[in-house]
Amino acid sequence: MSSPTAAPPGTGRHLGLALIVIASAQLMVVLDGTITNIALPSLKEDLDISASGLAWVVNSYVLAFGGLLLLGGRVGDLFGRRRMFRVGIALFTVASLLGGFASSPELLIGARVLQGMGAAVAAPTALSLIATTFPEGAPRNKAMGVYAGMSGIGATVGLLLGGVLTEYLDWRWVFFVNVPIGLAVLFGTKVLAEGDRVRGRLDLPGAVTGTAGLVSLVYAITRGGEHGWTNGGTLAFFGAAAVLLAVFVFLQGRVAAPMLPLRLLADRNRAGSYATMLFIGAGMFAMFYFLSLYMQQVLGFNALETGLAYIPFSLGMGMATGAGSKLVARFAPRTLTIPGLALAATGMLWFGTMTPESSYWAHLMPAMFLTAVGLGTAFLPVTLGAVSGVGHKDAGIASALLNTAQQIGGAIGLAVLATVSTTTADEKLPHADGAYYQALATKDTGLLERAASALTDGYTAALVGSAVLMIAGIAVVGLAVNAKRPTPGAADRPTPVHMG
């Protein structure tokens, strides 16, 4: 057993620097999930990547990140969180440099895999470092608020930054931009506290089965979205994931030092927080994807305009998480999470009423701001609920579970709702996406209008689906999360759970 290590006595300035380091790392890791999306058309033309290869530029990062998060969290607990945080950031930075210099699709996809591996180590250790660096009470709540905000804002910053860099420089800069940020984060890690390590060895059978199971699951989800849910390969990987994860859970209950202590899931509030984050990730990732396509294909926005269009989302998320860092000390988690998800669902339903003639200023912008405020309100209590009452020896794996839920949820939401979108659009106009590009090439305005209308129907159906996922999150919170009003420092020491 390791004992909790108090935050170092540093000054407020040191804590401020530590917050900048952790927030910058989280922002860099999260934004890389979306920054590449804006650059895909330029990247495809420059490297002559096929449509399937282009999908793997995105999916390879998700696959490595989502599949290796549990392992990344556990190695931080065992070998030192600050040390492994540095390893993760260093790997991510080097991989970004390689991605920027990539001269072929294969090299670029390989660099994206390395980025995902680095992110899988850096993301969970960043969250667990908050507990070892910041003293309980207001400083820790503020740090958690900024961390939660970066989880949501990072995606929109990625879209904005991707648009600016692609429009004014070159697609390679969506990778090069990580290099100076990564080096600055590495230099700043000296202000972070290491904390105690967990004594023991890595649960190798658990690491192999858990990682292989998660990788199989993420691959099956992404394959299902591309090749169909009844495709033989898709079903085979789903079957492999089910077997591997069942073996993983079986092993975790029978080894002395499991990679995933099952006691973490015994607390209904913590398990409910993980499940809620799964639905939040599913709805939010899908929303960004379909909203970006709508703005570019239907409204005719370019890469820069699409990125700038997300500024209201970043503002709303920042305002909500800033206020939430004070509210979490006064209200029970469900009191904030349920209204937050309800606001997010309302905003997404508003998106679901879009037409090919919808105005950005009168329709998209207010819906975007409302959705952001809702998600920002919900993010912090869900994040705190996932790590509340967790001892320092399990901080890394508890943080990894939260990130895993968000990534797996994002992959599921995007793959399932992409099927909904395509099916809905093709019912109105067969092969609507292909018809759209054909109309652009032939300047057939009549076909272009029909394709835009069909695509809009598909996108709005998917956005309504995102709202349904938020409502499912509300149901999970209502059934599982029943903790009392948190006390200062609730995120770093065991607290009794109020049942009832």
PDB file of all heavy atoms in Angstrom, residues 280 283-284 287 337-353 367 370-375 378 463-474:
ATOM      1  N   ILE A 280     -21.572  10.853 -23.348  1.00  0.00           N
ATOM      2  CA  ILE A 280     -21.142  12.210 -23.705  1.00  0.00           C
ATOM      3  C   ILE A 280     -20.162  12.160 -24.877  1.00  0.00           C
ATOM      4  O   ILE A 280     -20.279  12.920 -25.844  1.00  0.00           O
ATOM      5  CB  ILE A 280     -20.489  12.912 -22.498  1.00  0.00           C
ATOM      6  CG1 ILE A 280     -21.555  13.228 -21.432  1.00  0.00           C
ATOM      7  CG2 ILE A 280     -19.796  14.198 -22.929  1.00  0.00           C
ATOM      8  CD1 ILE A 280     -20.985  13.823 -20.156  1.00  0.00           C
ATOM      9  N   GLY A 283     -22.019  11.278 -28.211  1.00  0.00           N
ATOM     10  CA  GLY A 283     -22.804  12.367 -28.772  1.00  0.00           C
ATOM     11  C   GLY A 283     -21.956  13.530 -29.242  1.00  0.00           C
ATOM     12  O   GLY A 283     -22.211  14.111 -30.305  1.00  0.00           O
ATOM     13  N   MET A 284     -20.917  13.877 -28.486  1.00  0.00           N
ATOM     14  CA  MET A 284     -20.118  15.051 -28.796  1.00  0.00           C
ATOM     15  C   MET A 284     -19.243  14.828 -30.033  1.00  0.00           C
ATOM     16  O   MET A 284     -19.173  15.690 -30.922  1.00  0.00           O
ATOM     17  CB  MET A 284     -19.239  15.429 -27.601  1.00  0.00           C
ATOM     18  CG  MET A 284     -18.501  16.746 -27.781  1.00  0.00           C
ATOM     19  SD  MET A 284     -17.543  17.209 -26.320  1.00  0.00           S
ATOM     20  CE  MET A 284     -16.189  16.025 -26.432  1.00  0.00           C
ATOM     21  N   MET A 287     -21.399  14.905 -33.078  1.00  0.00           N
ATOM     22  CA  MET A 287     -21.877  16.258 -33.361  1.00  0.00           C
ATOM     23  C   MET A 287     -20.833  17.059 -34.140  1.00  0.00           C
ATOM     24  O   MET A 287     -21.151  17.703 -35.147  1.00  0.00           O
ATOM     25  CB  MET A 287     -22.206  16.975 -32.052  1.00  0.00           C
ATOM     26  CG  MET A 287     -22.705  18.399 -32.229  1.00  0.00           C
ATOM     27  SD  MET A 287     -22.496  19.400 -30.745  1.00  0.00           S
ATOM     28  CE  MET A 287     -20.709  19.578 -30.680  1.00  0.00           C
ATOM     29  N   THR A 337     -25.136  17.739 -13.425  1.00  0.00           N
ATOM     30  CA  THR A 337     -24.997  16.921 -14.629  1.00  0.00           C
ATOM     31  C   THR A 337     -26.300  16.808 -15.406  1.00  0.00           C
ATOM     32  O   THR A 337     -26.313  16.939 -16.641  1.00  0.00           O
ATOM     33  CB  THR A 337     -24.491  15.515 -14.259  1.00  0.00           C
ATOM     34  OG1 THR A 337     -23.296  15.615 -13.485  1.00  0.00           O
ATOM     35  CG2 THR A 337     -24.198  14.708 -15.511  1.00  0.00           C
ATOM     36  N   ILE A 338     -27.408  16.569 -14.727  1.00  0.00           N
ATOM     37  CA  ILE A 338     -28.687  16.370 -15.429  1.00  0.00           C
ATOM     38  C   ILE A 338     -29.116  17.634 -16.188  1.00  0.00           C
ATOM     39  O   ILE A 338     -29.427  17.557 -17.387  1.00  0.00           O
ATOM     40  CB  ILE A 338     -29.774  15.888 -14.461  1.00  0.00           C
ATOM     41  CG1 ILE A 338     -29.467  14.441 -14.032  1.00  0.00           C
ATOM     42  CG2 ILE A 338     -31.160  15.971 -15.097  1.00  0.00           C
ATOM     43  CD1 ILE A 338     -30.440  13.866 -13.018  1.00  0.00           C
ATOM     44  N   PRO A 339     -29.125  18.822 -15.561  1.00  0.00           N
ATOM     45  CA  PRO A 339     -29.462  20.019 -16.346  1.00  0.00           C
ATOM     46  C   PRO A 339     -28.468  20.279 -17.477  1.00  0.00           C
ATOM     47  O   PRO A 339     -28.856  20.747 -18.555  1.00  0.00           O
ATOM     48  CB  PRO A 339     -29.424  21.146 -15.307  1.00  0.00           C
ATOM     49  CG  PRO A 339     -29.624  20.480 -14.001  1.00  0.00           C
ATOM     50  CD  PRO A 339     -28.962  19.146 -14.133  1.00  0.00           C
ATOM     51  N   GLY A 340     -27.181  20.001 -17.219  1.00  0.00           N
ATOM     52  CA  GLY A 340     -26.180  20.209 -18.261  1.00  0.00           C
ATOM     53  C   GLY A 340     -26.441  19.349 -19.481  1.00  0.00           C
ATOM     54  O   GLY A 340     -26.423  19.831 -20.619  1.00  0.00           O
ATOM     55  N   LEU A 341     -26.708  18.067 -19.258  1.00  0.00           N
ATOM     56  CA  LEU A 341     -26.988  17.178 -20.383  1.00  0.00           C
ATOM     57  C   LEU A 341     -28.314  17.525 -21.048  1.00  0.00           C
ATOM     58  O   LEU A 341     -28.469  17.346 -22.273  1.00  0.00           O
ATOM     59  CB  LEU A 341     -26.993  15.721 -19.915  1.00  0.00           C
ATOM     60  CG  LEU A 341     -25.636  15.166 -19.453  1.00  0.00           C
ATOM     61  CD1 LEU A 341     -25.771  13.716 -19.012  1.00  0.00           C
ATOM     62  CD2 LEU A 341     -24.599  15.275 -20.561  1.00  0.00           C
ATOM     63  N   ALA A 342     -29.270  18.018 -20.271  1.00  0.00           N
ATOM     64  CA  ALA A 342     -30.544  18.442 -20.860  1.00  0.00           C
ATOM     65  C   ALA A 342     -30.342  19.635 -21.794  1.00  0.00           C
ATOM     66  O   ALA A 342     -30.931  19.694 -22.891  1.00  0.00           O
ATOM     67  CB  ALA A 342     -31.541  18.794 -19.755  1.00  0.00           C
ATOM     68  N   LEU A 343     -29.495  20.589 -21.385  1.00  0.00           N
ATOM     69  CA  LEU A 343     -29.184  21.715 -22.262  1.00  0.00           C
ATOM     70  C   LEU A 343     -28.469  21.244 -23.528  1.00  0.00           C
ATOM     71  O   LEU A 343     -28.775  21.711 -24.640  1.00  0.00           O
ATOM     72  CB  LEU A 343     -28.298  22.728 -21.528  1.00  0.00           C
ATOM     73  CG  LEU A 343     -28.955  23.640 -20.494  1.00  0.00           C
ATOM     74  CD1 LEU A 343     -27.894  24.519 -19.831  1.00  0.00           C
ATOM     75  CD2 LEU A 343     -30.027  24.508 -21.146  1.00  0.00           C
ATOM     76  N   ALA A 344     -27.523  20.315 -23.364  1.00  0.00           N
ATOM     77  CA  ALA A 344     -26.804  19.797 -24.527  1.00  0.00           C
ATOM     78  C   ALA A 344     -27.754  19.084 -25.480  1.00  0.00           C
ATOM     79  O   ALA A 344     -27.672  19.256 -26.702  1.00  0.00           O
ATOM     80  CB  ALA A 344     -25.691  18.852 -24.073  1.00  0.00           C
ATOM     81  N   ALA A 345     -28.669  18.288 -24.928  1.00  0.00           N
ATOM     82  CA  ALA A 345     -29.645  17.586 -25.772  1.00  0.00           C
ATOM     83  C   ALA A 345     -30.536  18.573 -26.507  1.00  0.00           C
ATOM     84  O   ALA A 345     -30.857  18.388 -27.691  1.00  0.00           O
ATOM     85  CB  ALA A 345     -30.487  16.644 -24.914  1.00  0.00           C
ATOM     86  N   THR A 346     -30.927  19.652 -25.825  1.00  0.00           N
ATOM     87  CA  THR A 346     -31.764  20.681 -26.460  1.00  0.00           C
ATOM     88  C   THR A 346     -31.036  21.327 -27.630  1.00  0.00           C
ATOM     89  O   THR A 346     -31.601  21.530 -28.706  1.00  0.00           O
ATOM     90  CB  THR A 346     -32.175  21.746 -25.436  1.00  0.00           C
ATOM     91  OG1 THR A 346     -32.876  21.120 -24.350  1.00  0.00           O
ATOM     92  CG2 THR A 346     -33.064  22.799 -26.067  1.00  0.00           C
ATOM     93  N   GLY A 347     -29.767  21.658 -27.420  1.00  0.00           N
ATOM     94  CA  GLY A 347     -28.975  22.247 -28.495  1.00  0.00           C
ATOM     95  C   GLY A 347     -28.840  21.311 -29.683  1.00  0.00           C
ATOM     96  O   GLY A 347     -28.937  21.732 -30.846  1.00  0.00           O
ATOM     97  N   MET A 348     -28.627  20.018 -29.416  1.00  0.00           N
ATOM     98  CA  MET A 348     -28.483  19.056 -30.503  1.00  0.00           C
ATOM     99  C   MET A 348     -29.799  18.837 -31.244  1.00  0.00           C
ATOM    100  O   MET A 348     -29.822  18.640 -32.471  1.00  0.00           O
ATOM    101  CB  MET A 348     -27.922  17.742 -29.955  1.00  0.00           C
ATOM    102  CG  MET A 348     -26.471  17.849 -29.502  1.00  0.00           C
ATOM    103  SD  MET A 348     -25.860  16.340 -28.741  1.00  0.00           S
ATOM    104  CE  MET A 348     -24.182  16.834 -28.304  1.00  0.00           C
ATOM    105  N   LEU A 349     -30.906  18.857 -30.521  1.00  0.00           N
ATOM    106  CA  LEU A 349     -32.210  18.774 -31.183  1.00  0.00           C
ATOM    107  C   LEU A 349     -32.445  20.004 -32.066  1.00  0.00           C
ATOM    108  O   LEU A 349     -33.061  19.914 -33.135  1.00  0.00           O
ATOM    109  CB  LEU A 349     -33.323  18.651 -30.140  1.00  0.00           C
ATOM    110  CG  LEU A 349     -33.436  17.300 -29.434  1.00  0.00           C
ATOM    111  CD1 LEU A 349     -34.454  17.373 -28.296  1.00  0.00           C
ATOM    112  CD2 LEU A 349     -33.828  16.194 -30.422  1.00  0.00           C
ATOM    113  N   TRP A 350     -31.959  21.141 -31.612  1.00  0.00           N
ATOM    114  CA  TRP A 350     -32.042  22.361 -32.411  1.00  0.00           C
ATOM    115  C   TRP A 350     -31.259  22.196 -33.716  1.00  0.00           C
ATOM    116  O   TRP A 350     -31.716  22.571 -34.795  1.00  0.00           O
ATOM    117  CB  TRP A 350     -31.515  23.530 -31.596  1.00  0.00           C
ATOM    118  CG  TRP A 350     -31.878  24.898 -32.092  1.00  0.00           C
ATOM    119  CD1 TRP A 350     -32.421  25.231 -33.303  1.00  0.00           C
ATOM    120  CD2 TRP A 350     -31.718  26.126 -31.373  1.00  0.00           C
ATOM    121  NE1 TRP A 350     -32.601  26.577 -33.395  1.00  0.00           N
ATOM    122  CE2 TRP A 350     -32.175  27.166 -32.223  1.00  0.00           C
ATOM    123  CE3 TRP A 350     -31.218  26.453 -30.110  1.00  0.00           C
ATOM    124  CZ2 TRP A 350     -32.149  28.503 -31.848  1.00  0.00           C
ATOM    125  CZ3 TRP A 350     -31.196  27.788 -29.728  1.00  0.00           C
ATOM    126  CH2 TRP A 350     -31.665  28.799 -30.589  1.00  0.00           C
ATOM    127  N   PHE A 351     -30.067  21.599 -33.621  1.00  0.00           N
ATOM    128  CA  PHE A 351     -29.315  21.275 -34.837  1.00  0.00           C
ATOM    129  C   PHE A 351     -30.132  20.372 -35.763  1.00  0.00           C
ATOM    130  O   PHE A 351     -30.042  20.465 -36.992  1.00  0.00           O
ATOM    131  CB  PHE A 351     -28.007  20.556 -34.493  1.00  0.00           C
ATOM    132  CG  PHE A 351     -26.943  21.435 -33.907  1.00  0.00           C
ATOM    133  CD1 PHE A 351     -26.228  21.025 -32.787  1.00  0.00           C
ATOM    134  CD2 PHE A 351     -26.636  22.655 -34.478  1.00  0.00           C
ATOM    135  CE1 PHE A 351     -25.229  21.821 -32.246  1.00  0.00           C
ATOM    136  CE2 PHE A 351     -25.633  23.465 -33.947  1.00  0.00           C
ATOM    137  CZ  PHE A 351     -24.937  23.044 -32.820  1.00  0.00           C
ATOM    138  N   GLY A 352     -30.911  19.496 -35.155  1.00  0.00           N
ATOM    139  CA  GLY A 352     -31.698  18.546 -35.937  1.00  0.00           C
ATOM    140  C   GLY A 352     -32.792  19.176 -36.773  1.00  0.00           C
ATOM    141  O   GLY A 352     -33.417  18.485 -37.588  1.00  0.00           O
ATOM    142  N   THR A 353     -33.052  20.475 -36.590  1.00  0.00           N
ATOM    143  CA  THR A 353     -34.067  21.170 -37.395  1.00  0.00           C
ATOM    144  C   THR A 353     -33.453  21.957 -38.544  1.00  0.00           C
ATOM    145  O   THR A 353     -34.148  22.729 -39.207  1.00  0.00           O
ATOM    146  CB  THR A 353     -34.885  22.131 -36.501  1.00  0.00           C
ATOM    147  OG1 THR A 353     -34.021  23.180 -35.996  1.00  0.00           O
ATOM    148  CG2 THR A 353     -35.519  21.393 -35.331  1.00  0.00           C
ATOM    149  N   ALA A 367     -27.499  27.498 -31.177  1.00  0.00           N
ATOM    150  CA  ALA A 367     -27.579  26.075 -30.813  1.00  0.00           C
ATOM    151  C   ALA A 367     -26.221  25.561 -30.343  1.00  0.00           C
ATOM    152  O   ALA A 367     -26.120  24.766 -29.403  1.00  0.00           O
ATOM    153  CB  ALA A 367     -28.079  25.261 -32.003  1.00  0.00           C
ATOM    154  N   LEU A 370     -25.526  26.944 -26.779  1.00  0.00           N
ATOM    155  CA  LEU A 370     -26.346  26.233 -25.798  1.00  0.00           C
ATOM    156  C   LEU A 370     -25.787  24.836 -25.527  1.00  0.00           C
ATOM    157  O   LEU A 370     -25.688  24.402 -24.365  1.00  0.00           O
ATOM    158  CB  LEU A 370     -27.785  26.140 -26.310  1.00  0.00           C
ATOM    159  CG  LEU A 370     -28.797  25.458 -25.386  1.00  0.00           C
ATOM    160  CD1 LEU A 370     -28.998  26.268 -24.113  1.00  0.00           C
ATOM    161  CD2 LEU A 370     -30.136  25.278 -26.106  1.00  0.00           C
ATOM    162  N   THR A 371     -25.411  24.137 -26.585  1.00  0.00           N
ATOM    163  CA  THR A 371     -24.846  22.794 -26.426  1.00  0.00           C
ATOM    164  C   THR A 371     -23.548  22.839 -25.621  1.00  0.00           C
ATOM    165  O   THR A 371     -23.306  21.998 -24.746  1.00  0.00           O
ATOM    166  CB  THR A 371     -24.572  22.172 -27.810  1.00  0.00           C
ATOM    167  OG1 THR A 371     -25.780  22.141 -28.567  1.00  0.00           O
ATOM    168  CG2 THR A 371     -24.033  20.753 -27.668  1.00  0.00           C
ATOM    169  N   ALA A 372     -22.710  23.832 -25.912  1.00  0.00           N
ATOM    170  CA  ALA A 372     -21.421  23.949 -25.218  1.00  0.00           C
ATOM    171  C   ALA A 372     -21.609  24.232 -23.734  1.00  0.00           C
ATOM    172  O   ALA A 372     -20.926  23.649 -22.889  1.00  0.00           O
ATOM    173  CB  ALA A 372     -20.591  25.051 -25.858  1.00  0.00           C
ATOM    174  N   VAL A 373     -22.541  25.126 -23.398  1.00  0.00           N
ATOM    175  CA  VAL A 373     -22.803  25.425 -21.988  1.00  0.00           C
ATOM    176  C   VAL A 373     -23.283  24.157 -21.266  1.00  0.00           C
ATOM    177  O   VAL A 373     -22.868  23.868 -20.141  1.00  0.00           O
ATOM    178  CB  VAL A 373     -23.841  26.557 -21.856  1.00  0.00           C
ATOM    179  CG1 VAL A 373     -24.298  26.702 -20.410  1.00  0.00           C
ATOM    180  CG2 VAL A 373     -23.252  27.875 -22.352  1.00  0.00           C
ATOM    181  N   GLY A 374     -24.143  23.399 -21.928  1.00  0.00           N
ATOM    182  CA  GLY A 374     -24.627  22.161 -21.313  1.00  0.00           C
ATOM    183  C   GLY A 374     -23.523  21.154 -21.084  1.00  0.00           C
ATOM    184  O   GLY A 374     -23.393  20.582 -19.992  1.00  0.00           O
ATOM    185  N   LEU A 375     -22.698  20.928 -22.110  1.00  0.00           N
ATOM    186  CA  LEU A 375     -21.602  19.967 -21.961  1.00  0.00           C
ATOM    187  C   LEU A 375     -20.590  20.439 -20.932  1.00  0.00           C
ATOM    188  O   LEU A 375     -20.079  19.638 -20.132  1.00  0.00           O
ATOM    189  CB  LEU A 375     -20.927  19.745 -23.314  1.00  0.00           C
ATOM    190  CG  LEU A 375     -21.728  18.953 -24.355  1.00  0.00           C
ATOM    191  CD1 LEU A 375     -21.021  18.981 -25.708  1.00  0.00           C
ATOM    192  CD2 LEU A 375     -21.950  17.521 -23.899  1.00  0.00           C
ATOM    193  N   ALA A 378     -21.782  19.712 -17.483  1.00  0.00           N
ATOM    194  CA  ALA A 378     -21.791  18.293 -17.117  1.00  0.00           C
ATOM    195  C   ALA A 378     -20.402  17.700 -16.979  1.00  0.00           C
ATOM    196  O   ALA A 378     -20.199  16.752 -16.199  1.00  0.00           O
ATOM    197  CB  ALA A 378     -22.580  17.502 -18.165  1.00  0.00           C
ATOM    198  N   LEU A 463     -27.674  14.115 -35.889  1.00  0.00           N
ATOM    199  CA  LEU A 463     -27.602  15.071 -34.785  1.00  0.00           C
ATOM    200  C   LEU A 463     -28.741  14.851 -33.790  1.00  0.00           C
ATOM    201  O   LEU A 463     -28.551  15.027 -32.577  1.00  0.00           O
ATOM    202  CB  LEU A 463     -27.623  16.495 -35.341  1.00  0.00           C
ATOM    203  CG  LEU A 463     -26.320  16.892 -36.068  1.00  0.00           C
ATOM    204  CD1 LEU A 463     -26.533  18.121 -36.940  1.00  0.00           C
ATOM    205  CD2 LEU A 463     -25.208  17.140 -35.060  1.00  0.00           C
ATOM    206  N   VAL A 464     -29.904  14.452 -34.275  1.00  0.00           N
ATOM    207  CA  VAL A 464     -30.976  14.056 -33.358  1.00  0.00           C
ATOM    208  C   VAL A 464     -30.543  12.820 -32.574  1.00  0.00           C
ATOM    209  O   VAL A 464     -30.814  12.687 -31.370  1.00  0.00           O
ATOM    210  CB  VAL A 464     -32.285  13.795 -34.131  1.00  0.00           C
ATOM    211  CG1 VAL A 464     -33.330  13.131 -33.226  1.00  0.00           C
ATOM    212  CG2 VAL A 464     -32.843  15.098 -34.701  1.00  0.00           C
ATOM    213  N   GLY A 465     -29.830  11.909 -33.250  1.00  0.00           N
ATOM    214  CA  GLY A 465     -29.285  10.743 -32.559  1.00  0.00           C
ATOM    215  C   GLY A 465     -28.313  11.141 -31.461  1.00  0.00           C
ATOM    216  O   GLY A 465     -28.278  10.520 -30.384  1.00  0.00           O
ATOM    217  N   SER A 466     -27.518  12.196 -31.696  1.00  0.00           N
ATOM    218  CA  SER A 466     -26.614  12.695 -30.657  1.00  0.00           C
ATOM    219  C   SER A 466     -27.403  13.186 -29.450  1.00  0.00           C
ATOM    220  O   SER A 466     -27.001  12.975 -28.295  1.00  0.00           O
ATOM    221  CB  SER A 466     -25.757  13.839 -31.214  1.00  0.00           C
ATOM    222  OG  SER A 466     -24.911  13.388 -32.241  1.00  0.00           O
ATOM    223  N   ALA A 467     -28.541  13.842 -29.710  1.00  0.00           N
ATOM    224  CA  ALA A 467     -29.394  14.298 -28.614  1.00  0.00           C
ATOM    225  C   ALA A 467     -29.937  13.116 -27.812  1.00  0.00           C
ATOM    226  O   ALA A 467     -30.006  13.156 -26.573  1.00  0.00           O
ATOM    227  CB  ALA A 467     -30.546  15.137 -29.167  1.00  0.00           C
ATOM    228  N   VAL A 468     -30.294  12.054 -28.511  1.00  0.00           N
ATOM    229  CA  VAL A 468     -30.791  10.849 -27.827  1.00  0.00           C
ATOM    230  C   VAL A 468     -29.711  10.275 -26.910  1.00  0.00           C
ATOM    231  O   VAL A 468     -30.003   9.799 -25.800  1.00  0.00           O
ATOM    232  CB  VAL A 468     -31.253   9.798 -28.865  1.00  0.00           C
ATOM    233  CG1 VAL A 468     -31.575   8.466 -28.189  1.00  0.00           C
ATOM    234  CG2 VAL A 468     -32.475  10.309 -29.635  1.00  0.00           C
ATOM    235  N   LEU A 469     -28.467  10.326 -27.345  1.00  0.00           N
ATOM    236  CA  LEU A 469     -27.359   9.837 -26.511  1.00  0.00           C
ATOM    237  C   LEU A 469     -27.213  10.685 -25.246  1.00  0.00           C
ATOM    238  O   LEU A 469     -26.908  10.156 -24.165  1.00  0.00           O
ATOM    239  CB  LEU A 469     -26.061   9.847 -27.312  1.00  0.00           C
ATOM    240  CG  LEU A 469     -25.990   8.823 -28.451  1.00  0.00           C
ATOM    241  CD1 LEU A 469     -24.793   9.095 -29.355  1.00  0.00           C
ATOM    242  CD2 LEU A 469     -25.908   7.406 -27.887  1.00  0.00           C
ATOM    243  N   MET A 470     -27.407  12.004 -25.360  1.00  0.00           N
ATOM    244  CA  MET A 470     -27.369  12.861 -24.173  1.00  0.00           C
ATOM    245  C   MET A 470     -28.503  12.487 -23.208  1.00  0.00           C
ATOM    246  O   MET A 470     -28.318  12.465 -21.989  1.00  0.00           O
ATOM    247  CB  MET A 470     -27.504  14.330 -24.575  1.00  0.00           C
ATOM    248  CG  MET A 470     -26.364  14.895 -25.400  1.00  0.00           C
ATOM    249  SD  MET A 470     -24.754  14.883 -24.570  1.00  0.00           S
ATOM    250  CE  MET A 470     -23.969  13.527 -25.448  1.00  0.00           C
ATOM    251  N   ILE A 471     -29.671  12.196 -23.766  1.00  0.00           N
ATOM    252  CA  ILE A 471     -30.816  11.804 -22.931  1.00  0.00           C
ATOM    253  C   ILE A 471     -30.537  10.468 -22.239  1.00  0.00           C
ATOM    254  O   ILE A 471     -30.889  10.268 -21.073  1.00  0.00           O
ATOM    255  CB  ILE A 471     -32.090  11.728 -23.789  1.00  0.00           C
ATOM    256  CG1 ILE A 471     -32.454  13.136 -24.295  1.00  0.00           C
ATOM    257  CG2 ILE A 471     -33.257  11.139 -23.008  1.00  0.00           C
ATOM    258  CD1 ILE A 471     -33.534  13.164 -25.345  1.00  0.00           C
ATOM    259  N   ALA A 472     -29.861   9.555 -22.956  1.00  0.00           N
ATOM    260  CA  ALA A 472     -29.464   8.293 -22.332  1.00  0.00           C
ATOM    261  C   ALA A 472     -28.502   8.550 -21.176  1.00  0.00           C
ATOM    262  O   ALA A 472     -28.560   7.888 -20.130  1.00  0.00           O
ATOM    263  CB  ALA A 472     -28.817   7.381 -23.370  1.00  0.00           C
ATOM    264  N   GLY A 473     -27.611   9.542 -21.344  1.00  0.00           N
ATOM    265  CA  GLY A 473     -26.716   9.915 -20.255  1.00  0.00           C
ATOM    266  C   GLY A 473     -27.481  10.427 -19.045  1.00  0.00           C
ATOM    267  O   GLY A 473     -27.128  10.139 -17.897  1.00  0.00           O
ATOM    268  N   ILE A 474     -28.544  11.197 -19.295  1.00  0.00           N
ATOM    269  CA  ILE A 474     -29.381  11.686 -18.195  1.00  0.00           C
ATOM    270  C   ILE A 474     -29.990  10.510 -17.435  1.00  0.00           C
ATOM    271  O   ILE A 474     -30.027  10.499 -16.195  1.00  0.00           O
ATOM    272  CB  ILE A 474     -30.496  12.609 -18.738  1.00  0.00           C
ATOM    273  CG1 ILE A 474     -29.890  13.908 -19.281  1.00  0.00           C
ATOM    274  CG2 ILE A 474     -31.528  12.912 -17.657  1.00  0.00           C
ATOM    275  CD1 ILE A 474     -30.897  14.796 -19.984  1.00  0.00           C
TER     276      ILE A 474
END
